[in-house]
Amino acid sequence: MKELIEGFRLLIKQSKRVNKLLNTYERLKEKSVENAYLLEKKLNEISKEVNNLPDFALKNSLVTWLNNEKSELDKIKDEFRFSLGEKIKELFQKDNWIIKGQYPILRIGLYTLSLNFEFGEATLYFGPEIEKIKSKIPLEPETIYQTIKKFDDSLKKVKFDPKEFYLDLQKAYKKRTILSNKPYGEKVYLVDVLSEYVILKQPSQFFADPRKENFREIPRIHLCYLLSLFKKSEYAQKGIHFYIATFDATTDKMHAIWIPDNEEGEGTYYSYISFAE
């Protein structure tokens, strides 16, 4: 008797879980194309629960329903892929952004969006997959747009004075030549000079008390952008030389850094820098 009661108790519990999942699935299906990957996730959850149910007539009906839904979902996902690209293009074109490439890689201004349709998420990079900005972005046009726009706005808000940047970069270069035991005018790794630049830009509080909360972060991506602004200024012609990186060096972040050439995401890797004597 106890086994029967326990068996029915378990069946009722499992049935409630399946019923809850079915109701959620039904609500998601009201906007099937937009929720294509959420539907797939929920369908997999339902499938696992159904597999744990004991054999009875309703289970067979559920299995048949699941198979039909999976076939229909493949068509919905194809429609979703098409509509996603169109909606992303529409959102960014309002801001006059240039979109290039094709699935699964889209070039959007200074950024690259890698779409993973298998897991229903996207990864955002700076440049042509140079620096990862954010991963596991839902494949929702508005979310993708806001993620890129928010990061781009923060990047463009960085204060930049070409003269000040030139003088600071020169000081950082001079410090690095001394540490490297090289004469002024010799080329040194650009990344090393940028490290000195970051130290140079620290507030006095950091040197008085070098704790994490007193440290002013300057992310690598921001340095790339500052350099791109600098290279377009007149000060980039004042006895400073950037050396293009060899192909092998481009994969080593310690020996090369990518600098955008324009707002369309074209750029160049550089390894060394020097200032004229």
Side-chain angles (χ1 to χ4, degrees):
M1 183 68 175
K2 287 183 179 180
E3 291 181 0
L4 287 172
I5 293 173
E6 179 61 24
F8 273 106
R9 187 192 69 78
L10 182 61
L11 179 59
I12 291 169
K13 187 177 179 181
Q14 290 174 321
S15 298
K16 283 182 177 179
R17 285 202 298 265
V18 172
N19 190 56
K20 185 178 179 180
L21 288 168
L22 287 171
N23 285 329
T24 303
Y25 186 85
E26 187 176 18
R27 287 196 299 272
L28 289 171
K29 205 167 181 185
E30 290 174 5
K31 295 182 178 179
S32 59
V33 175
E34 293 180 23
N35 296 323
Y37 286 88
L38 289 175
L39 283 169
E40 183 177 45
K41 182 181 178 182
K42 202 57 60 179
L43 207 59
N44 289 333
E45 291 178 26
I46 295 170
S47 185
K48 287 179 182 178
E49 290 293 338
V50 170
N51 287 336
N52 292 328
L53 290 172
D55 289 330
F56 64 110
L58 188 56
K59 179 179 179 179
N60 295 332
S61 297
L62 277 170
V63 170
T64 300
W65 176 83
L66 280 167
N67 290 333
N68 291 336
E69 286 297 308
K70 286 176 181 176
S71 297
E72 184 181 339
L73 193 56
D74 286 337
K75 298 175 184 176
I76 293 173
K77 283 162 67 177
D78 286 339
E79 187 178 344
F80 170 80
R81 290 187 184 100
F82 175 78
S83 65
L84 177 70
E86 291 299 306
K87 289 176 181 177
I88 289 174
K89 186 177 180 181
E90 183 181 318
L91 285 169
F92 282 101
Q93 280 186 336
K94 289 190 300 183
D95 297 334
N96 297 316
W97 285 46
I98 295 175
I99 300 178
K100 301 177 182 177
Q102 56 187 8
Y103 287 162
I105 302 296
L106 296 178
R107 312 286 187 193
I108 306 173
L110 287 171
Y111 309 96
T112 295
L113 189 69
S114 177
L115 304 169
N116 189 325
F117 289 105
E118 182 180 355
F119 294 100
E121 61 188 36
T123 301
L124 179 65
Y125 298 90
F126 180 69
E129 298 180 71
I130 303 297
E131 302 286 338
K132 185 186 290 186
I133 296 171
K134 189 174 182 180
S135 58
K136 297 187 177 180
I137 305 168
L139 292 184
E140 299 166 0
E142 187 63 33
T143 301
I144 289 170
Y145 171 77
Q146 291 298 338
T147 299
I148 297 176
K149 193 73 168 60
K150 183 179 178 181
F151 184 87
D152 189 67
D153 286 344
S154 70
L155 188 65
K156 302 295 173 60
K157 285 178 183 176
V158 175
K159 293 182 180 179
F160 177 73
D161 181 322
K163 182 179 179 180
E164 180 184 335
F165 188 81
Y166 172 83
L167 294 173
D168 287 338
L169 200 63
Q170 188 177 41
K171 289 177 187 176
Y173 166 78
K174 186 175 181 180
K175 178 73 178 295
R176 181 47 62 174
T177 57
I178 293 170
L179 291 173
S180 303
N181 197 28
K182 290 184 176 182
Y184 191 93
E186 280 284 314
K187 66 179 184 180
V188 294
Y189 280 119
L190 177 55
V191 173
D192 290 343
V193 173
L194 292 174
S195 296
E196 296 298 335
Y197 171 82
V198 172
I199 296 298
L200 188 67
K201 301 302 287 184
Q202 294 309 308
S204 57
Q205 295 96 314
F206 175 75
F207 296 103
D209 186 8
R211 291 182 295 166
K212 182 180 179 181
E213 50 266 38
N214 291 334
F215 183 79
R216 179 197 168 200
E217 290 187 353
I218 307 180
R220 186 179 174 97
I221 292 174
H222 283 211
L223 292 170
C224 293
Y225 187 67
L226 288 173
L227 284 166
S228 72
L229 294 177
F230 176 71
K231 283 179 64 62
K232 295 171 187 174
S233 74
E234 59 180 308
Y235 285 90
Q237 310 303 320
K238 294 183 178 295
I240 184 171
H241 185 71
F242 293 90
Y243 298 80
I244 295 175
T246 62
F247 178 77
D248 291 340
T250 58
T251 58
D252 187 347
K253 288 188 176 183
M254 294 300 295
H255 292 158
I257 188 167
W258 183 82
I259 303 175
D261 292 331
N262 52 46
E263 291 290 323
E264 282 73 57
E266 296 173 332
T268 307
Y269 278 98
Y270 294 92
S271 278
Y272 296 93
I273 184 176
S274 68
F275 280 78
E277 295 183 66

